[in-house]
């Protein structure tokens, strides 16, 4: 849960003008090579700032949008215990968005602008939240597969070079570890339950396999940003390396739980231990991340509605005058 008092709510740092200064660039890359963290007031190349802002903003958007599919299921959770756990998880995801927008703000972009860009569809968020959550089985898969993929991704990115992002991710991964346990527990209950429950889980598994494969981004040879992000220590492992780490951890569990994996050609390379997958439909991926997935319009419409309906709260907070300190 987010404790407001713990949030780094100090004034925004001055943003030094990042120019192309060859000497400063050499010094900057030397710091990256020594494994030093870059902090908000430090000199950084303009592209480092731009790339990080894009990446963290998209990540923050994903946490906020990711609260919607599970949030819709809170009233329909099958027991009080499951409902409590889901409420806590959804609240955490919104808290993660708060940490991340704050980390992105340290690079100089105001949060209001980032929210505006999310709501008007000009800033991306994770492909996976544009698919429907049709049954309770989908909630199991989001908690297990998507949170599992997120733990793999965020544990790697938490070792990255930008201090505020790395620290936010460290905290987020602690919480995601609980989300993963919650998702796994729901999945095990369904996978070891009645025939109806097993079918529900398998059908949801079929729906989430391909979006989960896409979660780590396009294959390395098609990735636009990996090169520079890797060079500057923001992204310690590539999209394919992250995907492989997920497969190594999760495929054995999928088999153990009796899931029938929809990729019929999935196989393990006996030499390397890597899982060789059939590539997902990357044209579908492009459509989904550019606003034309099965649920993009509904999800953004709901986010806009929530934003509009909570405007009274923002107005009240803006007008709030702190009480004088007690004598
Ligand atoms: N979805 O050059 P590439 C959560 C875009 S929430 C959408 O490889 P990059 C949770 C990419 O942005 C946490 N777009 O990019 C919440 C780029 O487009 P632009 C979700 C994607 O940045 C609630 C283009 O494709 N996790 O866990 O090097 C409930 C080319 O890609 C995706 C994150 O947000 C995608 N999957 O690396 C449950 C992770 N993949 O900007 C759970 C943070 C790629 O040129 N993000 N694109 O227009 C990252 O780690 C990296 O951005 C990626 C891609 C590994 C995803």
């Amino acid at each position: 849960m987010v404790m407001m008092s713990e949030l780094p709510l100090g004034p925004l740092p001055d943003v030094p003008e990042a120019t192309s200064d060859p000497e400063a660039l050499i010094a900057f890359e030397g710091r990256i090579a020594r494994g030093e963290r870059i902090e908000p007031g430090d000199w950084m190349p303009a592209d480092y700032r731009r790339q990080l802002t894009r990446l963290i903003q998209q990540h923050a958007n994903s946490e906020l949008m990711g609260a919607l599919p599970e949030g819709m299921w809170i009233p329909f959770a099958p027991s009080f215990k499951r409902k409590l756990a889901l409420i806590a998880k959804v609240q955490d995801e919104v808290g993660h968005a708060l940490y991340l927008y704050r980390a992105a703000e340290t690079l100089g972009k105001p949060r209001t602008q980032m929210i505006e860009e999310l709501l008007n569809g000009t800033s991306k968020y994770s492909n996976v939240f544009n698919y429907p959550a049709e049954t309770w089985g989908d909630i199991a898969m989001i908690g297990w597969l998507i949170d599992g993929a997120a733990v793999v991704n965020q544990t790697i990115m938490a070792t990255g070079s930008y201090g505020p992002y790395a620290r936010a991710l460290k905290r987020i991964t602690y919480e995601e570890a609980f989300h993963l346990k919650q998702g796994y527990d729901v999945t095990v209950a369904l996978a070891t339950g009645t025939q109806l429950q097993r079918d529900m889980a398998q059908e949801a598994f079929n729906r989430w396999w391909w979006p989960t494969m896409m979660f780590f981004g396009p294959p390395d040879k098609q990735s636009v940003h990996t090169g520079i992000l890797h060079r500057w220590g923001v992204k310690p492992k590539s999209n394919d390396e992250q995907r492989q780490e997920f497969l190594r951890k999760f495929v054995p569990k999928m088999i153990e739980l009796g899931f029938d994996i929809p990729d019929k050609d999935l196989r393990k390379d006996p030499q390397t231990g890597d899982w060789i997958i059939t590539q997902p439909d990357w044209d579908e991926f492009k459509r989904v991340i550019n606003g034309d997935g099965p649920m993009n319009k509904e999800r953004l419409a709901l986010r806009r509605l929530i934003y509009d309906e909570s405007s009274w709260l923002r107005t009240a907070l803006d007008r709030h005058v702190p009480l004088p300190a007690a004598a």
Side-chain angles (χ1 to χ4, degrees):
M1 199 182 125
V2 186
M3 302 298 290
M4 292 298 286
S5 59
E6 293 175 350
L7 289 171
L9 286 177
L12 288 174
D14 290 333
V15 178
E17 194 54 45
T19 51
S20 59
D21 175 343
E23 277 180 26
L25 182 61
I26 290 169
F28 171 84
E29 294 202 326
R31 294 186 63 193
I32 302 278
R34 290 192 295 277
E36 286 177 29
R37 283 262 157 87
I38 307 301
E39 296 297 338
D42 297 349
W43 187 91
M44 59 185 82
D47 262 355
Y48 182 83
R49 186 185 302 282
R50 234 189 330 266
Q51 279 285 357
L52 269 169
T53 306
R54 175 193 67 83
L55 180 75
I56 305 173
Q57 180 178 354
Q58 287 184 12
H59 192 163
N61 293 344
S62 304
E63 299 282 354
L64 196 59
M65 296 303 286
L68 296 179
E70 289 174 300
M72 305 286 288
W73 269 90
I74 290 172
F76 311 107
S79 72
F80 186 57
K81 185 182 123 190
R82 294 288 190 214
K83 184 178 285 202
L84 283 180
L86 195 58
I87 290 171
K89 177 187 191 300
V90 169
Q91 179 178 283
D92 281 352
E93 305 295 3
V94 178
H96 297 171
L98 191 60
Y99 300 154
L100 291 166
Y101 283 123
R102 185 63 195 160
E105 275 189 317
T106 65
L107 292 155
K109 187 164 185 176
R111 194 182 319 186
T112 43
Q113 191 185 341
M114 292 187 268
I115 298 288
E116 175 57 31
E117 288 173 2
L118 169 66
L119 297 180
N120 70 23
T122 55
S123 174
K124 291 190 171 67
Y125 58 91
S126 184
N127 67 306
V128 289
F129 303 118
N130 291 307
Y131 290 89
E134 291 175 14
T135 69
W136 181 247
D138 294 280
I139 300 308
M141 294 307 139
I142 294 174
W144 183 39
L145 300 182
I146 303 306
D147 279 285
V151 168
V152 168
N153 166 265
Q154 289 161 1
T155 306
I156 292 167
M157 302 292 277
T159 62
S161 60
Y162 188 57
Y165 188 38
R167 286 190 288 276
L169 289 180
K170 192 171 171 199
R171 293 183 58 170
I172 290 173
T173 47
Y174 289 144
E175 296 180 357
E176 296 286 21
F178 281 100
H179 301 172
L180 177 56
K181 280 188 204 305
Q182 179 259 356
Y184 188 56
D185 194 58
V186 177
T187 303
V188 170
L190 294 181
T192 58
T194 63
Q195 187 62 46
L196 200 68
Q197 287 173 313
R198 291 203 301 276
D199 290 348
M200 182 194 280
Q202 178 65 55
E203 282 161 21
F205 186 87
N206 296 346
R207 283 193 284 277
W208 286 91
W209 169 264
W210 299 108
T212 306
M213 290 303 103
M214 296 171 186
F215 178 91
F216 298 95
D220 290 352
K221 56 183 182 317
Q222 290 167 30
S223 169
V224 185
H225 306 291
T226 298
I228 195 69
L229 290 175
H230 186 70
R231 174 178 171 143
W232 285 337
V234 174
K235 190 171 172 181
K237 291 189 185 172
S238 73
N239 298 357
D240 285 334
E241 286 170 331
Q242 295 187 30
R243 198 169 4 253
Q244 197 51 236
E245 203 160 308
F246 171 82
L247 290 163
R248 280 175 182 250
K249 285 197 173 113
F250 281 79
V251 171
K253 288 186 205 295
M254 293 167 183
I255 295 168
E256 186 186 303
L257 286 174
F259 283 107
D260 183 14
I261 298 177
D263 181 353
K264 295 299 165 219
D265 292 327
L266 181 77
R267 64 193 192 283
K268 196 175 190 169
D269 181 327
Q271 247 91 57
T272 61
D274 281 356
W275 287 96
I276 300 165
I277 60 165
T278 304
Q279 289 300 315
D281 181 346
W282 292 111
D283 289 334
E284 174 184 315
F285 171 77
K286 280 185 201 140
R287 282 196 303 277
V288 170
I289 67 172
N290 287 306
D292 193 20
M295 293 293 286
N296 296 61
K297 289 182 184 58
E298 286 85 344
R299 295 269 189 261
L300 270 182
L302 180 57
R303 182 47 68 203
R304 281 189 207 107
L305 181 73
I306 296 167
Y307 185 79
D308 291 344
E309 289 197 341
S310 58
S311 67
W312 64 271
L313 180 59
R314 287 188 299 280
T315 308
L317 289 172
D318 283 346
R319 289 184 189 159
H320 170 70
V321 180
L323 292 172

